[in-house]
Amino acid sequence: LSYTFRYIIQNGQNTLIPLSEELKFAEAYSYQYSIRYADKLFFDFQIEDRFCSWALPALSLQPLIGNTVKHNTITKSKPLRVTIRTTADGWLEVLNPIAPKLEAEPSTGIGLENLKNRWRLITGHEIEVHNDGKTFLVRMPLQPPTK
């Protein structure tokens, strides 16, 4: 818990951060949810080592992890598995099956919109959001290290 707060305070104003640093935060942040939803919520990190020095806006994964928990049913009979992975062409993807809650929590949609705007402002690139009714996928283009 202290690590996640420290990361937010130290990196909230940073623009770009190495993927390796963002992943340390995401693992600590997702661990808190894993404890809360013991044996019902799982996170799979499938990250190619070659992308660990590539950059992304700090705190990009936090709203996506939070949204996954906020918008999906997580029960013993219907556990939820979130995958965070890199692709061969340098994208970071966060995906989960869609399991809508019976009673949806109030949502303004601001979190995802803010993430889109931050990416556009900081990197000049767009993120992609895909929802086919079965899977929710967010794709973010990682920034290669400067030489």
Side-chain angles (χ1 to χ4, degrees), residues 1 14-15 24 41 58 60 64-65 70-71 83 88 90 93 104 106 112 128-131 134:
L1 187 59
N14 287 354
T15 51
K24 287 179 193 173
L41 177 62
S60 290
L64 298 176
I65 292 169
K70 179 179 182 178
H71 296 292
T83 302
E93 296 182 337
L112 190 54
E128 298 176 3
V129 178
H130 303 277
N131 179 346
K134 294 181 181 181

Side-chain angles (χ1 to χ4, degrees), residues 59-74:
L59 298 169
S60 290
L61 292 174
Q62 182 269 334
L64 298 176
I65 292 169
N67 280 351
T68 299
V69 172
K70 179 179 182 178
H71 296 292
N72 290 283
T73 298
I74 303 170

Side-chain angles (χ1 to χ4, degrees), residues 23-93:
L23 287 172
K24 287 179 193 173
F25 166 75
E27 288 171 352
Y29 188 67
S30 62
Y31 177 74
Q32 293 174 49
Y33 279 118
S34 295
I35 296 298
R36 179 178 171 191
Y37 293 95
D39 299 322
K40 295 175 269 196
L41 177 62
F42 305 94
F43 292 89
D44 294 328
F45 290 88
Q46 302 168 5
I47 306 298
E48 291 183 56
D49 289 341
R50 67 187 176 114
F51 292 115
C52 285
S53 62
W54 290 40
L56 72 163
L59 298 169
S60 290
L61 292 174
Q62 182 269 334
L64 298 176
I65 292 169
N67 280 351
T68 299
V69 172
K70 179 179 182 178
H71 296 292
N72 290 283
T73 298
I74 303 170
T75 65
K76 196 80 155 166
S77 62
K78 289 192 171 203
L80 187 66
R81 185 167 300 278
V82 180
T83 302
I84 300 172
R85 67 185 181 201
T86 51
T87 64
D89 56 349
W91 288 70
L92 181 64
E93 296 182 337

